[in-house]
Amino acid sequence: MMGPGWYLRRLSRMGPAEVVGRARHAVVQRQWRTALPTPPLWPAHPRFTAVLPAGVVGKVSAEAASRLLATADELMAGRAEYFGVVRSDMASPDWFLDPKTGRRAPSELYAFDVPYRSEDTVGDIKQIWEPSRHQHLTVLAAAYALTGTPAYAARAASHLRSWWAENPPLRGPHWVSGIELGIRLLSWVWTRRLLEGWDGVGELFEDNPDFQLQLWHHQNWLATLRSHGSSANNHVIAEDAGLLAAACAFGWFPESAGWRASAMRSLDAQLGRNTFPSGLNAELASEYHGLVLELGLAAAVEADAAGTPVPESTWDVLLRMTDALASIVDNRLRPPRQGDADDGFGLIVDGLETGRWASLLATGEVLFGRPAWWPPVPGDDVRTPLLTSLASRTSRASGARPGRRPAHLRDAGMTILRSGRIWARCDGGPHGFLSIAAHAHADALSVEVRHDGVDILADPGTFCYHGEPQWRSYFRSTLGHNTLELGGRDQSVSGGPFLWTRHAVTKVLAVETPPTGASRWMAAHDGYAPAAHRRTVELDGNVLKIVDEVLGEGGSEGRLAFHLGPSVTVTLDGTTARLSWPAPTGVPGSAAGVASGAVSGVPSPAAVGAAVPGEPSPAAVGTAVPDVPGSVATGASDPLVGRVSGSLAADGGAVRTAVMELPPELSWTAHRGETDPPLGWYSAGFGRKEPSTTLVGSGTPGHLTTLLRFS
C-alpha cells in the first residue's frame, strides 16, 4: 500500500483542475457506496445489427485460422498463460484468484475499498484482472465464427454468465479501474458479433437482464469517472474506446446517443494529446503505442460502421501512428523495447503465434494504404479482414505522409540508425508523458542495438509493476539500461512505482542519417547537473561507435552498462568482449521470426521456469564463456547453465559474431542473474525474466569510446 508520503508526492504533480475533478469523483464514489445508480428500462425487443458483412470470415487465411484454433483449443482444454504463469482452471475460471501467489481478491468489498495495490492482501492484481478483460472469449467466439462449432460458443457463454453472476456492479476488484471496464466492453462487442448465428446468442445478450445490468453500469461508470489530468494516458483511451464501441453496437439505452457523442469527442481529443505530431505515442513506451493504436482503430471503425461521424483528426492520428510504427520497426517488424510494457492488447481475435506488429501494420495498410518505403508486411492475421470489413468506403485520412522512411522522429527524440542487418535506436526524447511520467524509465541517451532482429545491446524490459519494488526499481533504473550512471543515482528521481518527481531533460544536438554511408547522432541530458552527460553514436557499415563524455562540474564515479540480449554468449577478456548468437529463423513478422525474447505474448521456451532468481555470478575475466547465451564462466555447478534461452549448442545452426572493444579507462566486470542487488536480467514479457549478461565498466568517466564490430 502507498504511504502518506506517496500521496503527497502524487498530489504535488496535479494541477488545480485535476484536484477538483478527483474530489468530484470521490463524492460520486461515496454516493455509489450507499445508493447504487439505477439503469433505465431495457427496450422490449432490442436488435443487434452490428454484424460482420457476409462472406468476410471466408477471407481469413488458412494459416491465421490454424493459429487461432490452436489457441482456442488450448482454452477449451482449460489452459491459458498470463504473464508467464500457466493457468489450468480456464474451463471454469476463478475470477478472483491470483495463481502466482495463491491469494484471492475480496469479491464482496465495495470496489473502491479493494486494496488492489497490496499484493499481500489481494495478490498480483494484473494476474486477477487479465482474464476478466475477456479477450480469451473473443478468441473462442472467433473460433466459433470460423468453424461453426457450438462448443466454442457455449464455453464463451458459460464464462460470461459466470462473470456476470459473480461480479455485481461496483463489487470486487474488477470495478476499480476504468481501463479494465473499457477493454472488457470492447471484448463483449466482438464476442456478440462473432457469435452471430449461434442459437443461444440472443438469450445470452439481447434478452438477458444480467447483461443489461452489466452493460449499463459499465458505460455509466466510464461516462462518470473518466480519467483526467495527470492520469489521462492510455487509460483514458481505453475508457473512451470501450464506451464508444458499446454505445454504437449496443445503442439501446436513452443515454446511448449522448455516450457516443461524448466518447467520440473525448477519444478524438485524447488521441491527439497522447500522440506526438510524428505519430509516436507520447508515453514513449512501445507497447503502449500498440495498445493505443489497437484501441483507437477498433473504436473508430466501430463508430464508422454505426454511422457515427468520426472526425478527420481521429483518422489522421491513427494514420500517423501507423506510419510511425512502420518507420521504427526493425527488419523483423519488431519495434523498440522502450519504457514500460505490460503485454496489454486492445482487441484479440488471433492465435498467440500471430505477430502483433505485423498484424497492426496489415490493418493500417488496408485502411490507409502503404507508402513505398514501408517494410513488407505479411497479411495473414484474423483481425485485419474482420475489422477492416466494418469500415465504410468514405475517406478516412487526408494528412500528408512521409515521402521516405523517417529516421529521426524529432518531437519524440527517437532516432533509428540502420545499416544492412543492423538496427540501432538512440534515445534523446522527453523523460515521459504528463507530470507523473508514469510509464517512463530512467533511460536517457540509452541505445538499443539488434542484428537481423536479434537483441545484441538490449533494453531489459519491465518485468513487474506491483508487489516487487526491488525489481520494479531495477528494470526502470539508469543502471538497468545501456547508458551511463553517475554517483550511483538515476538520472530522473522516482517518487513511486508510477511516479517521477524530477525529469531529466534531454536535447538532441546533431542527427545525420543520409540514404547511404555513415549515420551519426549526438545528444545530452541534465540529469546529473551541474555535470552533463553527452553521447555520440555513429554507425558506419558493420561498426557501431559510442562516445560518452561527462562535461562540466560535479562529475563523479560512474558505471557504464551494456546489457546483452538473452541469445548472446559472451567471452570477456580485459576490455574485449567477444559475442556470438544463433542466427534467427522464420519469416519476419511472425512469432517465430526472432531468435530472442517473446513476441505477441508467447514466451520463449526457456522463459517459463527461468524466472527463478539465480545466484550471483563472478565476472569472467580472460575465461571462455560456456555455450549458454547470457552466461559467464561459473563452472558446472551454476544452477542456471543450460537453462538460459538460445544455447549455441542447441541445434548446430548458423552462428553470428561480434566484438566489443570497451573503454580501457574503466574496470569491466560481467554479471548474470544476480539478485542482491538485481543485475543481469532480461524480461521478454510482463511477469517473466531470465538471466542475461550485463557488462559494467566502473571508474571515473571522462571521454569513453566503445566500438561494436559485427562480423
Side-chain angles (χ1 to χ4, degrees), residues 82 154 176 219 250 257 288 296 298 314 326 334 338 364 372 413 429 574 594 600 625 637:
Y82 294 102
V176 175
Q219 293 178 93
F250 304 124
Y288 286 108
T314 297
R334 292 177 63 212
Q338 182 181 24
V594 183
S600 295
V625 178
S637 61

Side-chain angles (χ1 to χ4, degrees), residues 480-504:
H481 294 83
N482 297 313
T483 188
L484 178 67
E485 176 200 77
L486 280 183
R489 60 191 177 94
D490 289 337
Q491 309 149 336
S492 296
V493 179
S494 172
F498 296 98
L499 172 64
W500 296 89
T501 56
R502 183 188 180 280
H503 303 178

Side-chain angles (χ1 to χ4, degrees), residues 182 185 219 222-223 226 238-248 259 262-263:
L185 280 178
Q219 293 178 93
L222 293 174
R226 183 179 282 119
E239 294 162 7
D240 289 336
L243 179 60
L244 177 60
C248 288
W259 286 338
S262 65

Side-chain angles (χ1 to χ4, degrees), residues 219-255:
Q219 293 178 93
N220 183 66
W221 193 113
L222 293 174
T224 308
L225 300 179
R226 183 179 282 119
S227 295
H228 60 283
S230 59
S231 293
N233 51 15
N234 62 87
H235 282 236
V236 74
I237 304 296
E239 294 162 7
D240 289 336
L243 179 60
L244 177 60
C248 288
F250 304 124
W252 303 322
F253 294 110
E255 302 95 335

Side-chain angles (χ1 to χ4, degrees), residues 665-703:
E665 297 86 352
L666 303 179
S667 175
W668 288 91
T669 53
H671 306 263
R672 171 177 171 270
E674 299 177 9
T675 60
D676 190 20
L679 188 60
W681 294 91
Y682 178 94
S683 175
F686 196 84
R688 302 191 296 274
K689 65 181 186 295
E690 57 185 302
S692 62
T693 299
T694 296
L695 303 175
V696 177
S698 303
T700 303
H703 188 284

Side-chain angles (χ1 to χ4, degrees), residues 382-405:
V382 176
R383 182 180 58 193
T384 292
L386 301 191
L387 180 64
T388 58
S389 73
L390 296 172
S392 71
R393 294 184 179 273
T394 58
S395 174
R396 285 181 287 277
S398 57
R401 305 179 74 174
R404 58 177 290 225
R405 191 174 201 170

